């Protein structure tokens, strides 16, 4: 459904060139749900905007749903759906009218647009809300309407840019369920960007970990975690530097990382390593507030690949867009 090679995008700013995306290769099969996971500024939105023809690549090539991205952008646009980060619903338009209008924009006859609008409203739990204006909907309802708007022309491939940002946990889980159901019932392919680990973990068949404009790993959430092996110990300590020094001196302790929530380290087997770790911290007179042991998460995967925790990476991974830029072709 997608085959992209060497996708690159540079932005020229007054302070120099920002290399937002640096040669991304991407293959997505029909019916897959693929997540681009990375911190703010990693290049996810820029990649998505290139794949949806909204931004011309500085270099690289792609075939999307059978059409060439650069030579046939209209063909690509006809075959895909795109739900932007802040959605596309009109605040003052009634839900059903908004959907019908979107259908008409895609060239559907009025009756067909209405039929599809009603079907999508039913599928996405918007029944009974057809007469309400967009701005009176809850966050979750609005995101479902945004999704419906992106699907009215029945694309086989849909791109969702951070679909659950600013939703509460329940509404997020609800939207994931809807996305999974749409894939099962309609067989659509979904590409989603997110900086939420749990979103990538529970929604995606395959995760592409993106950092500083590059794909640094790709696999199913389980594959990525399994590749890491071993367990993670999370030690709540105040004397972080002493704890890091002490742990780094232990032969069975791998990667040690000081984070906001304490010190994190990787060990082959948590049960075996824990007594040794506790004894060593005690001998070094480092008081311990808490200990947690867990199987690797996608955050551990990101940490292992980049040396930074995803939650802490944020804009450190890129330059904040302080000004609109011209493209560097
Ligand atoms: N119009 C622009 N002008 C200059 N730099 C830009 C522009 N748009 C994005 N960038 C820069 O390109 C890099 C990638 O940004 P992008 O928005 O693609 O990241 P992202 O992973 O989607 O982040 P977020 O999760 O915050 O949306 C960042 O360093 C960003 O500051």
């Amino acid at each position: 459904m997608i085959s992209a090679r060497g996708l690159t995008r540079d932005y020229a700013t007054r302070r120099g060139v920002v290399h937002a995306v640096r040669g991304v290769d991407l293959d997505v099969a029909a019916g897959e749900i693929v997540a681009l996971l990375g911190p703010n500024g990693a290049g996810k939105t820029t990649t998505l905007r290139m794949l949806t023809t909204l931004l011309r690549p500085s270099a690289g090539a792609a075939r999307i749903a059978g059409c060439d991205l650069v030579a046939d952008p209209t063909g690509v646009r006809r075959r895909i759906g795109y739900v932007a980060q802040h959605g596309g619903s009109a605040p003052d338009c009634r839900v059903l009218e908004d959907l019908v209008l979107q259908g008409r924009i895609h060239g559907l006859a009025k009756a067909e647009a209405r039929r599809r609008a009603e079907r999508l409203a039913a599928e996405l739990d918007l029944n009974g809300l057809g007469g309400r204006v967009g701005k009176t909907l809850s966050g979750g309802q609005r995101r479902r309407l945004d999704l419906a708007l992106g699907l009215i022309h029945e694309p086989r491939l849909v791109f969702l840019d951070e679909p659950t940002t600013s939703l509460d946990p329940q509404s997020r889980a609800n939207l994931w369920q809807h996305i999974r159901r749409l894939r099962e019932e309609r067989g659509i392919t979904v590409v989603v960007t997110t900086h939420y680990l749990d979103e990538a973990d529970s929604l995606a068949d395959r995760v592409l970990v993106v950092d500083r404009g590059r794909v640094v790993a790709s696999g199913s959430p389980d594959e990525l975690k399994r590749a890491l092996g071993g367990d993670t110990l999370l030690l709540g300590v105040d004397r972080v530097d002493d704890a890091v020094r002490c742990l780094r001196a232990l032969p069975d302790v791998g990667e040690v990382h000081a984070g906001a929530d304490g010190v994190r380290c990787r060990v082959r087997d948590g049960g075996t390593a824990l007594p040794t770790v506790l004894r060593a911290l005690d001998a070094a007179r480092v008081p311990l507030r808490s200990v947690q042991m867990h199987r690797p998460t996608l955050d551990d995967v990101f940490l292992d690949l980049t040396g930074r925790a995803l939650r802490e990476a944020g804009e450190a991974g890129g330059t904040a867009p302080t000004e609109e830029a011209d493209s560097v072709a």
Side-chain angles (χ1 to χ4, degrees):
M1 191 59 84
I2 300 180
S3 168
R5 291 291 170 272
L7 276 189
T8 300
R9 174 67 196 203
D10 299 328
Y11 292 107
T13 73
R14 263 174 253 135
R15 282 189 280 158
V17 177
V18 175
H19 303 289
V21 176
R22 308 167 189 236
V24 162
D25 296 339
L26 178 71
D27 290 291
V28 178
E32 265 194 307
I33 299 181
V34 171
L36 301 181
L37 172 73
N40 291 333
K44 307 179 298 292
T45 297
T46 304
T47 303
L48 213 66
R49 288 173 65 80
M50 286 193 281
L51 293 171
T52 51
T53 76
L54 295 169
L55 208 55
R56 206 181 158 82
S58 307
R63 282 193 79 74
I64 315 280
C67 300
D68 187 278
L69 179 66
V70 178
D72 185 13
T74 312
V76 173
R77 254 174 254 150
R78 258 196 221 114
R79 287 165 176 78
I80 65 167
Y82 171 60
V83 181
Q85 226 169 79
H86 303 291
S89 51
D92 294 313
C93 193
R94 293 184 195 285
V95 168
L96 218 53
E97 279 168 21
D98 206 357
L99 283 166
V100 172
L101 182 66
Q102 187 70 13
R104 301 283 284 155
I105 291 170
H106 281 287
L108 300 177
K110 202 166 175 186
E112 177 62 8
R114 190 160 185 97
R115 190 190 64 76
R116 289 194 194 180
E118 281 167 358
R119 183 179 158 201
L120 273 169
E123 279 181 16
L124 287 163
D125 269 351
L126 294 166
N127 263 341
L129 299 173
R132 291 256 297 270
V133 291
K135 64 184 172 200
T136 67
L137 300 178
S138 71
Q141 290 166 341
R142 198 157 339 118
R143 293 312 280 162
R144 297 206 298 281
L145 172 58
D146 291 332
L147 188 54
L149 288 166
L151 294 173
I152 194 83
H153 55 303
E154 300 188 340
R156 310 293 303 151
L157 169 63
V158 64
F159 293 88
L160 311 176
D161 197 2
E162 306 206 351
T164 65
T165 295
S166 75
L167 290 186
D168 61 80
Q170 206 180 339
S171 308
R172 297 177 60 223
N174 175 271
L175 197 72
W176 299 340
Q177 242 175 29
H178 280 293
I179 296 169
R180 271 191 233 106
R181 233 201 37 233
L182 284 167
R183 186 263 298 270
E184 270 145 39
E185 288 172 8
R186 293 178 171 238
I188 56 174
T189 308
V190 181
V191 177
V192 56
T193 70
T194 184
H195 55 258
Y196 292 127
L197 298 154
D198 57 345
E199 185 150 284
D201 215 344
S202 31
L203 182 60
D205 303 319
R206 206 149 52 80
V207 177
L208 270 63
V209 183
V210 183
D211 187 42
R212 301 175 203 250
R214 289 201 169 88
V215 174
V216 292
S218 151
S220 73
D222 275 349
E223 277 166 6
L224 289 171
K225 288 184 264 182
R226 254 202 320 271
L228 218 51
D231 294 325
T232 295
L233 297 180
L234 189 57
L235 306 157
V237 289
D238 292 323
R239 289 169 46 200
V240 170
D241 291 345
D242 291 341
V244 168
R245 232 186 334 272
C246 166
L247 292 168
R248 285 201 174 131
L250 295 176
D252 293 336
V253 172
E255 190 79 18
V256 180
H257 179 79
D261 43 6
V263 177
R264 214 178 245 247
C265 63
R266 312 246 338 113
V267 291
R268 198 169 310 131
D269 179 72
T272 317
L274 192 56
T276 316
V277 165
L278 296 184
R279 269 197 302 273
L281 289 173
D282 193 42
R285 299 190 188 287
V286 176
L288 200 59
R289 277 186 283 103
S290 61
V291 182
Q292 288 174 44
M293 182 171 78
H294 61 79
R295 297 268 164 236
T297 64
L298 286 181
D299 202 18
D300 298 314
V301 172
F302 188 80
L303 181 64
D304 191 66
L305 291 164
T306 67
R308 292 165 299 135
L310 184 65
R311 278 163 299 150
E312 294 158 12
E315 283 298 335
T319 315
T322 48
E323 59 206 74
E324 263 309 300
D326 305 321
S327 92
V328 176

